[in-house]
Coordinates of all heavy atoms in Angstrom, one line a residue:
M921 N 0.8 -1.2 0.0 CA 0.0 0.0 0.0 C 0.9 1.2 0.0 O 1.9 1.3 0.7 CB -0.9 0.0 1.2 CG -1.8 1.2 1.3 SD -2.9 1.4 2.7 CE -3.3 -0.3 3.1
L922 N 0.5 2.2 -0.8 CA 1.2 3.5 -0.8 C 0.2 4.6 -0.3 O -1.0 4.6 -0.7 CB 1.6 3.9 -2.2 CG 2.6 2.9 -2.9 CD1 2.7 3.3 -4.4 CD2 3.9 2.9 -2.2
H923 N 0.7 5.5 0.5 CA -0.1 6.6 1.0 C 0.7 7.9 0.9 O 1.8 7.9 1.3 CB -0.5 6.3 2.4 CG -1.4 7.3 3.0 ND1 -2.8 7.4 2.6 CD2 -1.2 8.3 3.8 CE1 -3.3 8.4 3.3 NE2 -2.4 9.0 4.0
Y924 N 0.0 8.9 0.4 CA 0.6 10.3 0.3 C -0.5 11.2 0.5 O -1.5 11.3 -0.3 CB 1.3 10.5 -1.0 CG 1.9 11.9 -1.1 CD1 3.1 12.2 -0.4 CD2 1.3 12.9 -1.8 CE1 3.7 13.4 -0.5 CE2 1.8 14.1 -1.9 CZ 3.0 14.4 -1.2 OH 3.6 15.7 -1.3
E925 N -0.4 12.0 1.6 CA -1.4 13.0 1.9 C -2.8 12.4 1.9 O -3.1 11.5 2.7 CB -1.3 14.2 1.0 CG 0.0 15.0 1.3 CD 0.2 16.2 0.5 OE1 -0.7 16.6 -0.3 OE2 1.2 16.9 0.6
K926 N -3.7 12.8 1.0 CA -5.1 12.2 0.9 C -5.2 11.1 0.0 O -6.3 10.6 -0.2 CB -6.0 13.4 0.5 CG -6.1 14.5 1.5 CD -7.1 15.5 1.1 CE -7.1 16.7 2.1 NZ -8.2 17.6 1.8
I927 N -4.1 10.6 -0.6 CA -4.2 9.6 -1.7 C -3.6 8.3 -1.1 O -2.6 8.3 -0.5 CB -3.4 10.0 -2.9 CG1 -3.9 11.3 -3.5 CG2 -3.4 8.9 -3.9 CD1 -5.3 11.2 -4.0
T928 N -4.3 7.2 -1.3 CA -3.9 5.8 -1.0 C -4.0 5.0 -2.3 O -5.0 5.0 -2.9 CB -4.6 5.2 0.2 OG1 -4.5 6.1 1.3 CG2 -4.2 3.8 0.5
I929 N -3.0 4.2 -2.5 CA -3.1 3.1 -3.6 C -2.9 1.8 -2.9 O -1.9 1.6 -2.2 CB -2.1 3.3 -4.7 CG1 -2.2 4.7 -5.3 CG2 -2.2 2.2 -5.7 CD1 -1.2 5.1 -6.3
R930 N -3.9 0.9 -3.1 CA -3.8 -0.4 -2.5 C -4.2 -1.5 -3.5 O -4.8 -1.2 -4.5 CB -4.7 -0.5 -1.2 CG -6.2 -0.4 -1.6 CD -7.0 -0.8 -0.4 NE -8.4 -0.6 -0.6 CZ -9.2 -1.3 -1.3 NH1 -8.8 -2.4 -2.0 NH2 -10.5 -1.0 -1.5
N931 N -3.8 -2.7 -3.2 CA -4.2 -3.8 -4.0 C -5.7 -3.9 -4.0 O -6.4 -3.7 -3.0 CB -3.7 -5.2 -3.4 CG -2.2 -5.3 -3.5 OD1 -1.5 -4.6 -4.3 ND2 -1.7 -6.2 -2.7
A932 N -6.3 -4.2 -5.2 CA -7.7 -4.5 -5.3 C -8.0 -5.9 -4.7 O -7.2 -6.8 -4.9 CB -8.2 -4.4 -6.8
L933 N -9.1 -6.0 -4.0 CA -9.4 -7.2 -3.3 C -10.7 -7.8 -3.9 O -11.5 -7.0 -4.6 CB -9.6 -7.0 -1.8 CG -8.4 -6.3 -1.1 CD1 -8.8 -5.9 0.3 CD2 -7.3 -7.3 -1.1
P934 N -11.0 -9.1 -3.8 CA -12.2 -9.7 -4.3 C -13.4 -8.9 -3.9 O -14.4 -8.8 -4.7 CB -12.2 -11.1 -3.8 CG -10.7 -11.4 -3.7 CD -10.1 -10.1 -3.2
E935 N -13.4 -8.3 -2.7 CA -14.6 -7.6 -2.2 C -14.8 -6.2 -3.0 O -15.8 -5.6 -2.9 CB -14.6 -7.3 -0.7 CG -13.4 -6.8 -0.2 CD -12.4 -7.9 0.4 OE1 -12.4 -9.0 -0.1 OE2 -11.6 -7.6 1.3
D936 N -13.8 -5.8 -3.8 CA -13.9 -4.6 -4.6 C -14.6 -4.9 -6.0 O -14.9 -4.0 -6.7 CB -12.5 -4.0 -4.9 CG -11.8 -3.5 -3.7 OD1 -12.5 -2.8 -2.9 OD2 -10.6 -3.8 -3.5
A937 N -14.8 -6.2 -6.2 CA -15.3 -6.6 -7.5 C -16.6 -5.9 -7.9 O -16.8 -5.5 -9.1 CB -15.5 -8.1 -7.6
P938 N -17.6 -5.8 -7.0 CA -18.9 -5.1 -7.5 C -18.6 -3.7 -7.9 O -19.2 -3.2 -8.9 CB -19.7 -5.1 -6.2 CG -19.3 -6.3 -5.5 CD -17.8 -6.4 -5.7
L939 N -17.7 -3.0 -7.3 CA -17.4 -1.6 -7.7 C -16.6 -1.6 -9.0 O -17.0 -0.8 -9.9 CB -16.5 -0.9 -6.6 CG -15.9 0.4 -6.9 CD1 -17.1 1.5 -7.1 CD2 -15.0 0.9 -5.9
L940 N -15.7 -2.5 -9.1 CA -14.9 -2.6 -10.4 C -15.8 -3.0 -11.5 O -15.7 -2.4 -12.7 CB -13.7 -3.5 -10.3 CG -12.6 -3.0 -9.3 CD1 -11.6 -4.2 -9.1 CD2 -12.0 -1.8 -9.9
A941 N -16.8 -3.9 -11.3 CA -17.7 -4.3 -12.4 C -18.5 -3.1 -12.8 O -18.8 -2.9 -14.0 CB -18.6 -5.4 -11.9
R942 N -19.0 -2.3 -11.8 CA -19.8 -1.1 -12.2 C -19.0 -0.2 -13.1 O -19.4 0.3 -14.1 CB -20.3 -0.4 -10.9 CG -21.3 0.7 -11.2 CD -22.0 1.2 -9.9 NE -21.1 1.9 -9.1 CZ -20.8 1.7 -7.8 NH1 -21.4 0.6 -7.2 NH2 -20.0 2.4 -7.1
W943 N -17.7 0.1 -12.7 CA -16.9 1.0 -13.5 C -16.5 0.4 -14.8 O -16.6 1.0 -15.8 CB -15.6 1.3 -12.7 CG -15.7 2.2 -11.5 CD1 -16.8 2.9 -11.2 CD2 -14.7 2.3 -10.5 NE1 -16.5 3.6 -10.0 CE2 -15.2 3.3 -9.6 CE3 -13.4 1.8 -10.3 CZ2 -14.5 3.7 -8.5 CZ3 -12.7 2.3 -9.2 CH2 -13.3 3.2 -8.3
W944 N -16.1 -0.9 -14.8 CA -15.6 -1.5 -16.1 C -16.7 -1.8 -17.1 O -16.4 -1.9 -18.3 CB -14.8 -2.8 -15.7 CG -13.6 -2.6 -15.0 CD1 -13.0 -1.4 -14.6 CD2 -12.7 -3.6 -14.5 NE1 -11.8 -1.7 -13.9 CE2 -11.6 -3.0 -13.8 CE3 -12.8 -5.0 -14.5 CZ2 -10.6 -3.7 -13.2 CZ3 -11.8 -5.7 -13.8 CH2 -10.7 -5.1 -13.2
N945 N -17.9 -1.8 -16.6 CA -19.0 -2.0 -17.5 C -19.7 -0.7 -18.0 O -20.6 -0.8 -18.8 CB -20.1 -3.0 -16.9 CG -19.6 -4.4 -16.7 OD1 -18.9 -4.9 -17.6 ND2 -19.9 -5.0 -15.6
D946 N -19.2 0.4 -17.5 CA -19.7 1.7 -17.9 C -18.9 2.2 -19.1 O -17.7 2.5 -18.9 CB -19.5 2.6 -16.7 CG -20.1 4.0 -16.9 OD1 -20.2 4.4 -18.1 OD2 -20.4 4.7 -15.9
G947 N -19.5 2.3 -20.2 CA -18.8 2.8 -21.4 C -18.2 4.2 -21.3 O -17.2 4.4 -21.8
A948 N -18.8 5.0 -20.5 CA -18.3 6.4 -20.3 C -17.0 6.3 -19.5 O -16.1 7.1 -19.8 CB -19.3 7.3 -19.5
V949 N -16.8 5.4 -18.6 CA -15.6 5.2 -17.9 C -14.5 4.5 -18.7 O -13.4 4.9 -18.7 CB -15.8 4.4 -16.6 CG1 -14.6 4.1 -15.9 CG2 -16.8 5.1 -15.7
M950 N -14.9 3.5 -19.5 CA -14.0 2.7 -20.3 C -13.7 3.2 -21.7 O -12.8 2.6 -22.4 CB -14.5 1.3 -20.3 CG -14.5 0.6 -18.9 SD -12.9 0.6 -18.0 CE -12.0 -0.5 -19.1
A951 N -14.3 4.2 -22.2 CA -14.1 4.6 -23.6 C -12.7 5.0 -23.8 O -12.2 4.7 -24.9 CB -15.1 5.8 -23.9
H952 N -12.0 5.6 -22.9 CA -10.6 6.0 -23.1 C -9.7 4.8 -23.4 O -8.7 5.0 -24.0 CB -10.1 6.7 -21.8 CG -9.8 5.8 -20.7 ND1 -10.8 5.2 -19.9 CD2 -8.6 5.3 -20.3 CE1 -10.2 4.4 -19.1 NE2 -8.9 4.4 -19.3
A953 N -10.1 3.7 -22.9 CA -9.3 2.4 -23.1 C -9.8 1.6 -24.3 O -9.3 0.5 -24.5 CB -9.4 1.6 -21.8
G954 N -10.7 2.2 -25.1 CA -11.1 1.5 -26.3 C -12.4 0.7 -26.1 O -12.7 -0.2 -27.0
F955 N -13.1 0.8 -25.0 CA -14.3 0.0 -24.7 C -15.5 1.0 -24.5 O -15.9 1.1 -23.4 CB -14.0 -0.9 -23.5 CG -12.9 -1.8 -23.7 CD1 -11.7 -1.6 -23.2 CD2 -13.1 -3.0 -24.3 CE1 -10.6 -2.5 -23.3 CE2 -12.1 -3.9 -24.5 CZ -10.8 -3.6 -24.0
P956 N -16.0 1.6 -25.5 CA -17.0 2.6 -25.4 C -18.4 2.0 -24.9 O -19.2 2.7 -24.5 CB -17.2 3.2 -26.8 CG -16.7 2.2 -27.7 CD -15.6 1.5 -26.9
K957 N -18.5 0.6 -24.9 CA -19.6 0.0 -24.4 C -19.3 -0.8 -23.1 O -20.1 -1.6 -22.6 CB -20.2 -1.0 -25.4 CG -20.7 -0.4 -26.7 CD -21.2 -1.3 -27.7 CE -21.7 -0.6 -28.9 NZ -22.3 -1.5 -29.9
G958 N -18.2 -0.5 -22.5 CA -17.7 -1.2 -21.3 C -17.2 -2.6 -21.6 O -17.1 -3.0 -22.8
L959 N -16.8 -3.3 -20.6 CA -16.2 -4.6 -20.8 C -17.2 -5.7 -20.8 O -17.0 -6.8 -21.3 CB -15.2 -4.9 -19.7 CG -13.9 -4.0 -19.7 CD1 -13.0 -4.4 -18.5 CD2 -13.2 -4.2 -21.0
G960 N -18.4 -5.5 -20.2 CA -19.4 -6.6 -20.2 C -19.0 -7.8 -19.4 O -19.2 -8.9 -19.8
T961 N -18.4 -7.5 -18.2 CA -17.9 -8.6 -17.4 C -18.7 -8.6 -16.1 O -19.2 -7.6 -15.6 CB -16.4 -8.5 -17.1 OG1 -15.9 -9.6 -16.5 CG2 -16.1 -7.2 -16.3
A962 N -18.7 -9.8 -15.4 CA -19.5 -10.0 -14.2 C -18.6 -9.8 -13.0 O -17.4 -10.1 -13.0 CB -20.1 -11.4 -14.1
A963 N -19.2 -9.3 -11.9 CA -18.4 -9.1 -10.6 C -17.8 -10.4 -10.2 O -16.7 -10.4 -9.6 CB -19.4 -8.5 -9.6
E964 N -18.5 -11.5 -10.4 CA -18.0 -12.8 -9.9 C -16.7 -13.2 -10.7 O -15.7 -13.7 -10.1 CB -19.0 -13.9 -10.1 CG -20.3 -13.7 -9.3 CD -21.3 -12.7 -9.8 OE1 -21.1 -12.3 -11.0 OE2 -22.2 -12.3 -9.1
K965 N -16.6 -12.9 -11.9 CA -15.4 -13.1 -12.7 C -14.3 -12.2 -12.3 O -13.2 -12.7 -12.2 CB -15.7 -12.9 -14.2 CG -14.6 -13.3 -15.1 CD -14.9 -13.1 -16.6 CE -13.7 -13.4 -17.4 NZ -14.1 -13.3 -18.9
I966 N -14.6 -11.0 -12.0 CA -13.6 -10.0 -11.5 C -13.1 -10.5 -10.2 O -11.9 -10.5 -9.9 CB -14.1 -8.6 -11.4 CG1 -14.5 -8.1 -12.8 CG2 -13.1 -7.7 -10.8 CD1 -15.3 -6.8 -12.9
A967 N -14.0 -10.9 -9.3 CA -13.6 -11.4 -7.9 C -12.6 -12.6 -8.0 O -11.6 -12.6 -7.3 CB -14.8 -11.7 -7.1
A968 N -13.0 -13.5 -8.9 CA -12.1 -14.7 -9.1 C -10.7 -14.3 -9.6 O -9.7 -14.8 -9.1 CB -12.8 -15.7 -10.0
G969 N -10.7 -13.4 -10.5 CA -9.4 -12.9 -11.0 C -8.6 -12.2 -10.0 O -7.4 -12.4 -9.9
L970 N -9.2 -11.4 -9.2 CA -8.5 -10.6 -8.1 C -8.0 -11.6 -7.1 O -6.9 -11.4 -6.5 CB -9.5 -9.6 -7.4 CG -9.9 -8.4 -8.3 CD1 -11.0 -7.6 -7.6 CD2 -8.7 -7.6 -8.6
A971 N -8.7 -12.7 -6.8 CA -8.3 -13.7 -5.8 C -7.0 -14.3 -6.3 O -6.2 -14.8 -5.5 CB -9.4 -14.7 -5.6
D972 N -6.8 -14.4 -7.6 CA -5.6 -15.0 -8.2 C -4.4 -14.1 -8.3 O -3.3 -14.5 -8.7 CB -5.9 -15.7 -9.5 CG -6.7 -16.9 -9.4 OD1 -6.7 -17.5 -8.3 OD2 -7.4 -17.3 -10.3
D973 N -4.6 -12.8 -8.1 CA -3.5 -11.8 -8.3 C -2.4 -12.1 -7.3 O -2.7 -12.4 -6.1 CB -4.0 -10.4 -8.0 CG -4.7 -9.8 -9.2 OD1 -4.9 -10.4 -10.2 OD2 -5.1 -8.6 -9.1
T974 N -1.2 -12.0 -7.8 CA 0.0 -12.2 -6.9 C 1.0 -11.1 -7.4 O 0.9 -10.6 -8.5 CB 0.6 -13.6 -7.0 OG1 1.2 -13.7 -8.3 CG2 -0.4 -14.7 -6.7
D975 N 2.0 -10.9 -6.6 CA 3.1 -10.0 -6.9 C 3.9 -10.6 -8.1 O 4.5 -9.8 -8.9 CB 4.0 -9.8 -5.8 CG 3.4 -8.9 -4.7 OD1 2.4 -8.2 -5.0 OD2 3.8 -9.0 -3.5
E976 N 3.8 -11.9 -8.3 CA 4.6 -12.5 -9.4 C 3.8 -12.5 -10.7 O 4.4 -12.6 -11.8 CB 4.9 -13.9 -9.1 CG 6.0 -14.1 -8.0 CD 5.5 -13.8 -6.6 OE1 4.3 -14.1 -6.3 OE2 6.2 -13.2 -5.8
T977 N 2.5 -12.4 -10.7 CA 1.7 -12.4 -11.9 C 1.2 -11.0 -12.3 O 1.6 -10.5 -13.3 CB 0.4 -13.3 -11.7 OG1 -0.4 -12.8 -10.6 CG2 0.9 -14.8 -11.5
R978 N 0.3 -10.4 -11.5 CA -0.2 -9.1 -11.7 C -0.9 -8.6 -10.5 O -1.3 -9.4 -9.7 CB -1.1 -9.0 -13.0 CG -2.4 -9.8 -12.7 CD -3.3 -9.6 -13.9 NE -4.5 -10.5 -13.6 CZ -5.3 -10.9 -14.5 NH1 -5.1 -10.6 -15.8 NH2 -6.3 -11.7 -14.2
R979 N -1.2 -7.3 -10.5 CA -2.0 -6.7 -9.4 C -2.9 -5.6 -10.1 O -2.4 -4.8 -10.9 CB -1.1 -6.0 -8.4 CG -0.4 -6.9 -7.5 CD -1.2 -7.4 -6.4 NE -0.5 -8.3 -5.5 CZ -1.0 -9.2 -4.7 NH1 -2.3 -9.3 -4.7 NH2 -0.3 -9.9 -3.9
R980 N -4.1 -5.7 -9.7 CA -5.0 -4.6 -10.0 C -5.0 -3.7 -8.8 O -4.9 -4.2 -7.6 CB -6.4 -5.0 -10.3 CG -6.7 -5.4 -11.8 CD -6.0 -6.6 -12.4 NE -6.3 -7.9 -11.8 CZ -7.2 -8.7 -12.2 NH1 -7.9 -8.4 -13.3 NH2 -7.4 -9.9 -11.7
M981 N -5.1 -2.4 -8.9 CA -5.0 -1.5 -7.8 C -6.2 -0.6 -7.7 O -7.0 -0.4 -8.7 CB -3.8 -0.5 -8.0 CG -2.5 -1.2 -8.3 SD -1.9 -2.4 -7.1 CE -1.3 -1.3 -5.8
I982 N -6.5 -0.2 -6.5 CA -7.6 0.8 -6.2 C -6.9 2.1 -5.7 O -6.1 2.0 -4.8 CB -8.5 0.2 -5.1 CG1 -9.2 -1.0 -5.6 CG2 -9.5 1.3 -4.6 CD1 -10.3 -0.8 -6.6
L983 N -7.3 3.2 -6.3 CA -6.9 4.5 -5.9 C -8.0 5.1 -5.0 O -9.1 5.1 -5.3 CB -6.7 5.4 -7.1 CG -6.4 6.8 -6.9 CD1 -4.9 7.0 -6.4 CD2 -6.6 7.7 -8.1
L984 N -7.6 5.5 -3.8 CA -8.5 6.1 -2.8 C -8.1 7.5 -2.6 O -6.9 7.8 -2.5 CB -8.4 5.4 -1.5 CG -8.7 3.9 -1.5 CD1 -8.3 3.2 -0.2 CD2 -10.2 3.6 -1.7
R985 N -9.1 8.4 -2.7 CA -8.9 9.8 -2.3 C -9.8 10.1 -1.2 O -11.0 9.9 -1.2 CB -9.2 10.7 -3.5 CG -8.9 12.1 -3.3 CD -9.0 12.9 -4.5 NE -8.5 14.2 -4.3 CZ -8.4 15.1 -5.2 NH1 -8.7 14.9 -6.5 NH2 -8.0 16.3 -4.9
D986 N -9.2 10.5 -0.1 CA -9.9 10.7 1.2 C -10.7 9.5 1.6 O -11.8 9.5 2.0 CB -10.9 11.9 1.0 CG -10.2 13.2 0.9 OD1 -9.2 13.5 1.5 OD2 -10.7 14.1 0.1
A987 N -10.0 8.3 1.4 CA -10.5 7.0 1.7 C -11.7 6.6 0.9 O -12.4 5.6 1.2 CB -10.9 6.9 3.2
T988 N -12.0 7.3 -0.2 CA -13.1 6.9 -1.1 C -12.5 6.4 -2.4 O -11.7 7.1 -3.0 CB -14.0 8.1 -1.4 OG1 -14.5 8.6 -0.1 CG2 -15.1 7.8 -2.3
P989 N -13.0 5.3 -2.9 CA -12.5 4.8 -4.2 C -12.7 5.8 -5.3 O -13.7 6.5 -5.4 CB -13.3 3.5 -4.5 CG -13.7 3.1 -3.1 CD -13.9 4.3 -2.3
H990 N -11.7 6.0 -6.1 CA -11.7 7.0 -7.2 C -11.4 6.4 -8.5 O -10.4 5.7 -8.6 CB -10.6 8.1 -6.8 CG -10.6 9.3 -7.6 ND1 -11.7 10.2 -7.6 CD2 -9.7 9.9 -8.4 CE1 -11.4 11.2 -8.3 NE2 -10.3 11.0 -8.9
R991 N -12.2 6.6 -9.5 CA -12.1 5.8 -10.7 C -11.2 6.5 -11.7 O -11.1 6.1 -12.8 CB -13.5 5.6 -11.4 CG -14.1 6.8 -11.9 CD -15.5 6.5 -12.5 NE -16.0 7.7 -13.1 CZ -17.3 7.8 -13.4 NH1 -18.1 6.8 -13.1 NH2 -17.7 8.9 -14.0
R992 N -10.5 7.5 -11.3 CA -9.5 8.2 -12.2 C -8.4 7.2 -12.7 O -7.9 6.4 -11.9 CB -8.8 9.3 -11.5 CG -7.8 10.0 -12.3 CD -7.1 11.1 -11.5 NE -6.1 11.7 -12.3 CZ -6.2 12.9 -12.8 NH1 -7.2 13.7 -12.5 NH2 -5.2 13.4 -13.5
N993 N -8.1 7.3 -13.9 CA -7.0 6.4 -14.4 C -5.7 7.2 -14.3 O -5.6 8.4 -14.7 CB -7.3 6.1 -15.9 CG -8.5 5.3 -16.0 OD1 -8.5 4.2 -15.5 ND2 -9.5 5.8 -16.7
G994 N -4.7 6.6 -13.8 CA -3.4 7.2 -13.5 C -3.5 7.9 -12.2 O -4.4 7.9 -11.4
L995 N -2.4 8.6 -11.9 CA -2.2 9.3 -10.7 C -2.7 10.8 -10.8 O -2.5 11.4 -11.9 CB -0.8 9.3 -10.2 CG -0.3 7.9 -9.9 CD1 1.2 8.0 -9.6 CD2 -1.0 7.3 -8.8
P996 N -3.2 11.4 -9.8 CA -3.5 12.8 -9.9 C -2.3 13.6 -10.2 O -1.2 13.3 -9.8 CB -4.0 13.1 -8.4 CG -4.3 11.8 -7.8 CD -3.5 10.8 -8.5
K997 N -2.4 14.7 -11.0 CA -1.3 15.5 -11.5 C -0.5 16.0 -10.3 O 0.8 16.1 -10.4 CB -1.8 16.6 -12.3 CG -2.3 16.2 -13.7 CD -2.7 17.3 -14.5 CE -3.4 16.8 -15.8 NZ -2.8 17.2 -17.0
Y998 N -1.1 16.4 -9.2 CA -0.3 16.9 -8.1 C 0.6 15.9 -7.5 O 1.6 16.2 -6.8 CB -1.1 17.6 -7.1 CG -2.0 16.8 -6.3 CD1 -1.6 16.0 -5.2 CD2 -3.4 16.7 -6.6 CE1 -2.4 15.2 -4.5 CE2 -4.2 15.9 -5.9 CZ -3.8 15.2 -4.8 OH -4.6 14.4 -4.1
W999 N 0.4 14.6 -7.7 CA 1.2 13.5 -7.1 C 2.3 13.1 -8.0 O 3.3 12.5 -7.6 CB 0.3 12.4 -6.7 CG 1.0 11.5 -5.7 CD1 2.1 11.8 -4.9 CD2 0.6 10.1 -5.3 NE1 2.4 10.7 -4.1 CE2 1.5 9.7 -4.3 CE3 -0.4 9.3 -5.8 CZ2 1.4 8.4 -3.8 CZ3 -0.4 8.0 -5.2 CH2 0.5 7.6 -4.2
Q1000 N 2.1 13.3 -9.3 CA 3.1 12.7 -10.3 C 4.5 13.1 -10.0 O 5.4 12.3 -10.1 CB 2.6 13.0 -11.7 CG 1.3 12.3 -12.0 CD 0.7 12.7 -13.3 OE1 1.2 13.7 -13.9 NE2 -0.3 12.0 -13.7
P1001 N 4.8 14.4 -9.7 CA 6.2 14.7 -9.5 C 6.8 14.0 -8.3 O 8.0 13.7 -8.3 CB 6.2 16.2 -9.2 CG 4.9 16.7 -9.8 CD 4.0 15.6 -9.7
H1002 N 6.0 13.6 -7.4 CA 6.6 12.9 -6.2 C 6.9 11.4 -6.5 O 7.6 10.8 -5.7 CB 5.5 12.9 -5.1 CG 5.3 14.3 -4.6 ND1 6.2 15.1 -3.9 CD2 4.2 15.1 -4.8 CE1 5.7 16.3 -3.6 NE2 4.5 16.3 -4.2
C1003 N 6.4 10.9 -7.6 CA 6.7 9.5 -7.9 C 7.5 9.4 -9.2 O 7.6 8.3 -9.7 CB 5.4 8.6 -8.0 SG 4.3 9.2 -9.3
G1004 N 8.1 10.5 -9.6 CA 9.0 10.4 -10.7 C 8.4 10.4 -12.1 O 9.0 10.4 -13.1
H1005 N 7.0 10.5 -12.1 CA 6.3 10.6 -13.4 C 6.0 12.0 -13.8 O 5.4 12.7 -13.0 CB 5.0 9.8 -13.3 CG 4.2 9.8 -14.6 ND1 4.6 9.0 -15.6 CD2 3.2 10.4 -15.0 CE1 3.7 9.1 -16.6 NE2 2.9 10.0 -16.2
R1006 N 6.5 12.5 -14.9 CA 6.2 13.8 -15.3 C 5.7 13.9 -16.8 O 6.1 13.0 -17.6 CB 7.5 14.7 -15.3 CG 8.1 14.7 -13.9 CD 9.2 15.8 -13.9 NE 10.0 15.7 -12.7 CZ 9.6 16.1 -11.5 NH1 8.5 16.7 -11.4 NH2 10.4 16.0 -10.4
H1007 N 4.8 14.8 -17.0 CA 4.3 15.0 -18.4 C 5.1 16.1 -19.1 O 5.6 17.0 -18.5 CB 2.8 15.4 -18.3 CG 2.0 14.3 -18.0 ND1 1.6 13.3 -19.0 CD2 1.4 13.8 -16.9 CE1 0.8 12.4 -18.4 NE2 0.7 12.7 -17.1

């Protein structure tokens, strides 16, 4: 887990699957990634995948701002200089 001021990044857990399904199935959220109709996936499938995540395979992450899940892709601009990422 990473924490800086009001931002926390943590591993996504199987219990996050309903939230991720809502986001990933929303075309407005996923259009930037080439899925204007969303992914069309079930929360149960996402939960099973998250249960299999390991540091050796892959990790899906949840970004929290003020302890609330935030669907923004990437890091907030004000945090980017602190983690070496610059535009």
